Amino acid sequence: MLVAGVILAIMILPTVTAVSREVLRAVPDTQREGMLALGATKWETISRAVLPYARGGIAGALILGLARALGETMAVTMVIGNSSTRIQASLFTPGYTLASAIANQFTEADKAIYFSAIITIALVLLLVACVLNILARLLVWSVSRGPGAGAVRA
């Protein structure tokens, strides 16, 4: 489990970085120039003008990275160990994810009840993804609509 978490963190880092970089580049130059004209340092310009303006986009980039991590089935399946015998609390023991169960057992579903169980697992995974998308949308909305969103604080 620990190795899978590290691999997923490495896999989503370019996505989060690229989207965050584009969001920061999309901040209007007037925001930066206005703070610099008022005598702010570069760090004050970044912390008080650029980051508050781009806060919603950065939160969206983090959620996009999380969604990509949730969708990575094969990387986790190959690394995690595929042990469906017993759930343990240790991060160093092999495990089994819902996506791994679907990917590994879909072709072996020869009976109707077995196929129904796999479809139920897929439905649970879809519901988890929908709940996470709703929570992510609420998070981005609350971050972008928070106090001082898009405004320069003195």
Side-chain angles (χ1 to χ4, degrees):
M1 291 287 206
L2 181 66
V3 173
V6 169
I7 287 175
L8 286 176
I10 292 169
M11 288 177 78
I12 68 170
L13 190 63
T15 302
V16 173
T17 305
V19 173
S20 296
R21 180 175 171 231
E22 291 302 319
V23 166
L24 291 173
R25 291 177 86 195
V27 173
D29 288 335
T30 55
Q31 289 287 113
R32 292 182 185 90
E33 292 168 359
M35 282 295 286
L36 291 172
L38 290 173
T41 63
K42 284 191 176 188
W43 174 247
E44 288 173 334
T45 301
I46 291 170
S47 66
R48 295 189 182 182
V50 176
L51 288 179
Y53 195 87
R55 187 172 47 190
I58 293 171
L62 292 172
I63 299 302
L64 185 64
L66 175 65
R68 179 163 180 208
L70 287 175
E72 286 294 339
T73 303
M74 296 317 293
V76 174
T77 300
M78 288 186 259
V79 172
I80 206 165
N82 289 330
S83 174
S84 61
T85 56
R86 194 172 76 196
I87 298 173
Q88 297 180 358
S90 175
L91 289 176
F92 301 107
T93 58
Y96 210 52
T97 64
L98 292 175
S100 298
I102 294 168
N104 287 336
Q105 298 180 13
F106 189 75
T107 57
E108 299 171 6
D110 54 354
K111 296 185 177 143
I113 190 76
Y114 195 8
F115 186 74
S116 297
I118 292 174
I119 296 300
T120 304
I121 291 172
L123 180 64
V124 168
L125 193 58
L126 177 69
L127 291 175
V128 167
C130 288
V131 167
L132 283 175
N133 280 332
I134 290 168
L135 290 175
R137 189 70 206 138
L138 291 173
L139 174 71
V140 170
W141 180 77
S142 68
V143 166
S144 64
R145 299 287 178 203
V152 177
R153 285 183 265 164

